[in-house]
Amino acid sequence: MRIAVAMSGGVDSSAAAALLKEAGHDLVGFTMQLWDPRRNINVDENGEPLPSRCCSLDDVADARRVAGKLGFPFYVLNLESEFEKAVVEPFVNSYLQGETPIPCVACNSRLKFDALDKMADSLECEKVATGHYARVFRNEVTGKFRLLRGKDLSKDQSYFLWELGQSQLSRAIFPLGELTKPQAREIARRNGLWIAEKAESQEICFVPDGDYSGFIDRYLKSVGEDGKIPESGEIVDTSGKVIGEHSGIHRYTVGQRRGLGVASAKPLYVVQIERAKNRIIAGEAEELLKKRAVLKGLNLIAGFEDLKTSVGGSQIEFRAKVRIRYRHEPAPASVVTIGNSKAEVIFDQPQRAITAGQAAVFYDEETGDEVLGGGWIVGSGD
């Protein structure tokens, strides 16, 4: 089988390629050039460029060397313009609206898999492969493709793939879905790949130091939009009393405690960000607990097939375990869809820090293994 393989220059994609090569497949490797580190947006306090974990020359060179070692052709796709429009600009604008975005979802569903599918078509590849820790299978009865969590739950990346559709999943292969990270490193070692010991990044790839607000400030200046940088404003308690001043809403996220600069007898947290009033609402820990999440951009991977639903008018309700951020333990809830693109999640028990801009991802209630779909959080309530 001829397979297009996405290669980042890291352990996971290299191990995935090695596994497919061992299985006798005909491979074509691709690295996606997404961000130009020479723009000098990511710099330290002295103005020196930070080491990049996104499309650095070293990463591209590593991917090329792995392809050479394993014996298959390799290409670099320049997607910098598409990445900026589809991922970076929405990321910046989301923070400016008082949200906390998660760009990896959009990058996967709206850029990486789309680009891989197009390259696969042009080179007559039957499948596309990545190093994600997730699994995909086809239900022989319904003909629908289903997405499952990776076997190694500590590395599971299914949360970032909930926007994938049937067409994308029908071509996707995740060779590491049944494996652990140590096993992936061992596969790289047995294939003589020095990449086996390479460290992995835990941050958003185009913000290597994790300083999101600093990146936003520098990015807006670099594109001549300094006027969009949020000004300082009030921090108020839940009764509306002014208790401090913030330095720009893009520097805060729901659930944050550090950096408020407000004296209080009890610890205070960001419980809400009001973009229209340019203010932060702070409260005690229990005020972060909410039972409802309002969603937009609903995607149900296999439609409503096999879901135990109840129908009433234009609303359809089903049960699921719902994850509201990557490291959140999926919690039992009812999901009520509103039309084709909106939904409301009602949790059995209140959840901490339901945050606009994050994704709510639905998992099968009984096993917690299958990803049913998800949506983008736009609000929360009691």
Side-chain angles (χ1 to χ4, degrees):
M1 183 185 299
R2 190 169 174 83
I3 302 173
V5 184
M7 303 185 69
S8 66
V11 178
D12 296 333
S13 60
S14 300
L19 274 176
L20 294 173
K21 189 67 176 179
E22 288 179 347
H25 295 294
D26 180 17
L27 306 183
V28 182
F30 297 94
T31 287
M32 300 177 195
Q33 181 70 34
L34 303 178
W35 186 250
D36 183 359
R38 293 171 297 182
R39 292 179 65 174
N40 290 329
I41 293 175
N42 292 319
V43 295
D44 61 20
E45 64 274 11
N46 299 315
E48 296 296 324
L50 291 166
S52 176
R53 289 300 305 133
C54 180
C55 310
S56 72
L57 294 178
D58 287 343
D59 288 334
V60 175
D62 283 342
R64 189 185 302 276
R65 289 174 64 196
V66 168
K69 174 70 174 178
L70 296 176
F72 57 83
F74 172 83
Y75 302 92
V76 178
L77 302 180
N78 190 323
L79 299 176
E80 290 177 8
S81 177
E82 294 88 341
F83 181 72
E84 187 160 2
K85 291 179 181 179
V87 179
V88 178
E89 288 180 4
F91 170 84
V92 171
N93 290 330
S94 184
Y95 262 109
L96 296 181
Q97 294 300 314
E99 300 175 340
T100 304
I102 178 167
C104 301
V105 174
C107 186
N108 281 319
S109 58
R110 304 173 197 177
L111 190 71
K112 289 183 178 179
F113 279 88
D114 183 59
L116 274 173
D117 282 344
K118 290 177 180 177
M119 290 305 302
D121 285 337
S122 67
L123 293 170
E124 299 182 341
C125 294
E126 297 178 52
K127 297 285 186 178
V128 298
T130 71
H132 286 98
Y133 289 85
R135 294 172 290 156
V136 63
F137 79 98
R138 182 175 183 270
N139 186 313
E140 297 299 332
V141 176
T142 65
K144 295 283 189 176
F145 287 86
R146 319 302 282 260
L147 177 66
L148 301 180
R149 300 175 76 176
K151 280 290 189 181
D152 182 352
L153 296 185
S154 68
K155 294 298 296 180
D156 167 51
Q157 294 170 306
S158 62
Y159 177 86
F160 302 109
L161 302 173
W162 66 268
E163 266 198 327
L164 296 183
Q166 286 293 303
S167 176
Q168 292 167 316
L169 287 174
S170 71
R171 303 183 76 166
I173 298 177
F174 303 123
L176 304 186
E178 301 284 346
L179 305 179
T180 65
K181 184 73 175 195
Q183 288 174 319
R185 290 192 184 277
E186 184 55 38
I187 290 165
R189 291 189 192 101
R190 76 172 182 234
N191 280 274
L193 303 179
W194 63 99
I195 215 83
E197 313 307 328
K198 190 172 183 177
E200 58 185 327
S201 173
Q202 300 296 324
E203 297 294 342
I204 292 173
C205 64
F206 57 93
V207 192
D209 62 347
D211 181 10
Y212 305 142
S213 61
F215 172 86
I216 292 167
D217 290 344
R218 294 188 296 271
Y219 176 80
L220 290 174
K221 290 178 182 178
S222 75
V223 297
E225 296 185 349
D226 304 41
K228 287 187 176 181
I229 299 175
E231 298 178 351
S232 59
E234 296 176 343
I235 298 178
V236 302
D237 63 20
T238 51
S239 71
K241 177 183 176 181
V242 178
I243 57 175
E245 182 178 79
H246 69 74
S247 56
I249 58 172
H250 64 309
R251 305 185 192 282
Y252 302 83
T253 185
V254 172
Q256 177 179 332
R257 177 184 173 188
R258 294 183 178 181
L260 287 181
V262 175
S264 174
K266 294 184 177 180
L268 292 180
Y269 303 81
V270 175
V271 298
Q272 188 177 347
I273 300 174
E274 290 190 333
R275 162 69 173 79
K277 296 181 179 180
N278 188 32
R279 71 179 187 177
I280 302 291
I281 299 177
E284 296 178 17
E286 59 268 21
E287 293 174 285
L288 284 169
L289 297 174
K290 306 289 183 181
K291 288 194 71 172
R292 295 175 181 265
V294 181
L295 313 181
K296 68 176 183 179
L298 180 68
N299 178 51
L300 293 176
I301 291 174
F304 290 103
E305 293 186 31
D306 299 335
L307 294 179
K308 297 178 181 179
T309 62
S310 57
V311 181
S314 62
Q315 296 184 336
I316 297 178
E317 180 176 340
F318 62 93
R319 294 285 299 175
K321 290 182 178 178
V322 181
R323 172 178 279 172
I324 56 173
R325 52 186 163 270
Y326 177 43
R327 292 300 183 186
H328 174 249
E329 181 65 28
S334 294
V335 180
V336 182
T337 69
I338 307 168
N340 294 323
S341 62
K342 298 180 180 179
E344 185 177 44
V345 177
I346 303 98
F347 289 97
D348 293 358
Q349 299 295 327
Q351 302 298 304
R352 186 182 186 277
I354 298 174
T355 306
Q358 293 287 294
V361 180
F362 318 142
Y363 295 82
D364 176 75
E365 184 181 37
E366 294 183 4
T367 67
D369 206 31
E370 181 180 350
V371 183
L372 305 176
W376 296 104
I377 300 173
V378 295
S380 63
D382 296 328

